[in-house]
Amino acid sequence: MAYLTGYEYYENNGSLPEDKNWGSYQYISLDDIVNNFMLMYVGNDKLVNNVERYNVLFHAKRGIQELNYDALKETKIVELTVCDNATVVLPPDFVNWVRISLYKEGVLMPLTENIQTNFAKSYLQDNDCKVLFDESGDVLIGTSLLDADRVDGIQKTQYLGDGKLNGALGYNIEGKWVFDYAIGARYGLNTETANINPTFKINKSGGVISFSSSMADQIIVIEYVSDGMEGGDDASVSVNKLFEGYIYAYIKYAILNAKFGVQEYVVRRAQKEKSSLLRNARIRLSNIHPGRLLMNMRGAQKWLK
Amino acid sequence: MRGFLFFVYLCIKYSQMINSVRNTVLAVANKHNFGYITPADFNLYAKQAQLDIFENYFYRYNEWIAKQNARVSGSGYADIVKNLEEVIDTFSVEGFLYNVIDNKYKMPNEDNNSSTYYLLNKVLVYTSFITKGLTDGFDAGNNIIEDSTKDFSTIIVGDYVSFEINDEVIFVKVLEKVSQTELRVDSNLLNSSGVTYTIYNTSVRQNEAERVSHSKITMLNSSNLTSPKTTSPAFTQSELTINIYPDTINNVGQVVAQYIRKPRDPKWTYINLTDGEPLFDQGASDYQDFELPATDEPLITSKILQYAGISIREADVYQVGATEEAKDKQKQG
């Protein structure tokens, strides 16, 4: 018998939400992983014995988290409008960003991260530069000038200047400015910051993304990775079936590695099994197939300027 | 003549183990005029002997698992672990636990009851329920769940209803939807109002709760990744109760336990004859045979002889029992 009937899959048995089971066949639930592991890998005649279920659950979740950080290509995508103070609050399950883009005039334009700081916490000080405290002894916090300048568009990039033509001699011909070619290279340009487009900086502890001033009221698209824990709802935690074997191997290795008295060769064997299954799964997930290769290879004969 | 032989055959086939054991014990003890063992004393020794052997089953089970892993045990008829499991499983009981208060449930522990627990093996939890409440009426047939504050329109025939009567959990099916507020159930114990009930869907899933030590439960409850949830519940065990986590598991009939019960106390019952000689009477209401398999009869006899030998200060009797037991153990590996 099928796991789900067609009606259950397509229309959730007439219940809401209708799309609950769409694509669910790709995944195996956390519940199933723990259950299968306890059933198949734990026992009197198995390598793993006398292990509590919460141990298995912990390692299963850790394995899924690790996968989400670096192996799974399951990015979450959220669209938001930047508020007037040029900041956006991070999504609730945000762990790290993949790409942040500006969506404007039908084009998705990836933004560059500002490697310099564009925000700060401002401690209040008196005329003698002494830090001020409240009655509880905590430092008083004021409005950051750095932050205010970012919002007002006053903040500049040190090495970028105002563009390569700013201050250069030119000719105004019939209302249009014409410049000579600059002679020589632009020595001193910091290529890391050489970008005239809007930038962003993630304030991780503050839980916000701070954009440059021109991003206020613009629409952005954040692509990010989470840890796969679905906000603590165990029933929703799942992992792609291509990684199922890896997760079992990860749990087995983690338990054997932490257990007293297990021979080193047994631990090594478990470690190797885990690593090779991760490689296998990554290859499977990379989806290299002739159709995709053909599209890539169409550019092979392209002339490079 | 054939009728008499058949009667003898039936007597042998259905002869009770406890009587056989007692006859053997008396025969051995009387052979050397060591004295008479009264029925009361015999029953005391029999109880101790049975408990002793019963407990030893678990140690033997463990030993044989180690042997099995060392490839000493075979399969088929040589599968000793399976044989031991079979004996232990004859004492397996499954029953709903009484909800004392909040997430605290009571273990069955009445003295010498058929369900007095010895070893808690598994605790199962119903993950969800349809509705719960308190009855505010009852019917002459004592089989109606009546709650005027509820709307039972979503309940279907076949759903489960659990309720608590006299410290006992009753778990029955819905037989008929009498009205929006009344359900006829498969029980005739609902003879008063104010009964706490919970209704479960037929397809509701049971999840196994894991036993956690008291030293770990606080940390486990505050753990972000592994705190108990309805999908992975946990419990701690106290003297006569268990506490289930998460503490939202607090409904009537939500917790089921599978446990190994204690063997009932054996009792050799008798009728006093005029000359004072007791005659075995297996029809007495308090009669109880040994519950261990018939193959344990020699061991039970040896044990009782040991107790009897200690009691009458006869080292020889004790020695006979001890030697027989040692031989038996050697044979069983």
Side-chain angles (χ1 to χ4, degrees), chain A residues 10 19 37 52 79 87 96 144-145 165 241-242 251 280 299:
Chain A
Y10 286 106
D19 61 357
F37 189 88
E52 286 89 1
E79 181 190 301
T87 58
N96 201 6
S144 156
L145 186 64
L165 301 176
K241 279 178 180 168
L242 300 177
I251 301 169
N280 282 357

Side-chain angles (χ1 to χ4, degrees), chain A residues 79-96:
Chain A
E79 181 190 301
L80 291 164
T81 302
V82 182
C83 38
D84 290 341
N85 61 359
T87 58
V88 157
V89 179
L90 293 172
D93 53 350
F94 176 90
V95 171
N96 201 6

Side-chain angles (χ1 to χ4, degrees), chain A residues 31-32 35 38 44-46 49 51-55 57-59 61-62 65 227 229 232-235, chain B residues 61-62 65 68-69 205 207-213 216 220 223-227 229 231-234:
Chain A
D31 207 18
D32 278 339
N35 205 36
M38 293 298 289
N44 291 324
D45 56 347
K46 308 276 174 25
N49 191 14
V51 64
E52 286 89 1
R53 186 181 57 193
Y54 62 78
N55 260 311
L57 183 66
F58 172 77
H59 291 304
K61 285 186 167 182
R62 284 291 303 117
Q65 283 180 328
D227 65 350
M229 291 297 105
D233 179 13
D234 281 6
Chain B
Y61 180 65
N62 187 42
I65 281 175
Q68 196 175 50
N69 288 339
R205 193 177 150 172
N207 279 332
E208 190 172 340
E210 182 178 32
R211 189 182 188 282
V212 177
S213 67
K216 295 268 186 188
L220 192 71
S223 160
N224 212 6
L225 286 182
T226 55
S227 61
K229 306 233 165 55
T231 48
S232 53

Side-chain angles (χ1 to χ4, degrees), chain B residues 8 70 131 219 221 230 265 308 320:
Chain B
V8 170
T131 187
M219 287 179 278
N221 274 330
T230 46
D265 296 348
V320 170

